[in-house]
Amino acid sequence: MLDTQQYDVIVDAKEDRCPMPLLKLKMALAKMLVNQTVCVFASDKGSLKDIPHFLSLVGLPLVEQGKSGGTYYFVTCKQESQL
């Protein structure tokens, strides 16, 4: 199980269908400070493609990705030059 206390922002999109997990991530990143980390939880399989693709487009690192139970998770860190 993930230790969610290690992240600055948690986005719970487990109940959301595509594209809402990605949109919630974008909204969270817009409010975050540089060097803060965000963990997105999603159950929609579309997130497996959408979130890593978005992060690569905007130049943010995919720090961690995995699956815990039936939930996928994605971790990134906001950087100075992005967003």
Side-chain angles (χ1 to χ4, degrees):
M1 191 68 174
L2 287 174
D3 176 15
T4 57
Q5 293 179 349
Q6 65 183 333
Y7 307 113
D8 298 298
V9 178
I10 301 292
V11 175
D12 183 354
K14 293 185 294 250
E15 301 297 321
D16 298 319
R17 309 281 292 152
C18 185
M20 287 307 295
L22 177 59
L23 294 175
K24 285 185 174 183
L25 170 59
K26 287 179 180 182
M27 291 187 313
L29 285 166
K31 296 177 184 176
M32 291 170 51
L33 301 174
V34 173
N35 294 325
Q36 284 189 314
T37 58
V38 58
C39 182
V40 180
F41 292 100
S43 57
D44 188 278
K45 286 188 176 189
S47 298
L48 287 171
K49 178 182 172 189
D50 293 346
I51 292 175
H53 180 71
F54 166 73
L55 294 176
S56 71
L57 283 176
V58 297
L60 290 175
L62 180 57
V63 176
E64 187 176 352
Q65 176 181 348
K67 187 174 181 181
S68 179
T71 303
Y72 306 104
Y73 63 90
F74 309 87
V75 179
T76 190
C77 179
K78 185 169 181 177
Q79 296 176 346
E80 202 166 320
S81 61
Q82 282 80 25
L83 306 170

